[in-house]
Amino acid sequence: MCRCRHQPCPPTQCVQRCPKFCTIPYSMPAPLFITPARIPFNAFLQAQAAKVLINKYNTQLATTLEGRTELLQQLLGGMDESDPPFIEPPFYCDYGYNIHMGSGSYANFGFTVLDAC
C-alpha cells in the first residue's frame, strides 16, 4: 500500500510517487499534519485562526459584551462599530473575514455562516 494510504499501488510506482492522488514522495517522512485535500495551506491557517477566535467568542460570559465586540472586530470583515451586531453563541463560520454585518444586526443561537467563497 502507498504511504498516503489512498489506494494500493505497484511497488515500482510507489517508490516514485503515488500515481493518482498523492504528491508526497515515498521516502519523505510524514509531515506533522496534512491539510485537507485541495485547500491551500494559507487558507488552512486562516481557518484555524478563525476557529480560535470563534471558540473564545462562544465561551465568553454573557455579561462581557465589550469582549465579544472586540472578538467580532477581529473576526468579521466589516461591522458598524457604533452599533455592533449581537450574535448569540454558539456562532460558527469558516473564515470570518468574508462576513459583513450591518448596524444593530442580531443573530440567534446556532448562527452558522459558510463563508468559504
Side-chain angles (χ1 to χ4, degrees), residues 17-73:
R17 291 187 188 274
C18 181
K20 292 185 180 180
F21 298 101
C22 187
T23 58
I24 301 172
Y26 184 76
S27 60
M28 182 177 159
L32 296 176
F33 60 91
I34 298 174
T35 60
R38 298 189 182 108
I39 296 178
F41 188 71
N42 190 29
F44 179 75
L45 291 178
Q46 290 172 344
Q48 293 301 315
K51 287 179 183 178
V52 169
L53 289 173
I54 292 167
N55 187 33
K56 287 181 183 177
Y57 184 84
N58 289 336
T59 57
Q60 288 266 337
L61 293 175
T63 57
T64 57
L65 295 178
E66 295 81 19
R68 284 187 180 179
T69 303
E70 290 175 12
L71 288 171
L72 284 178
Q73 286 175 346

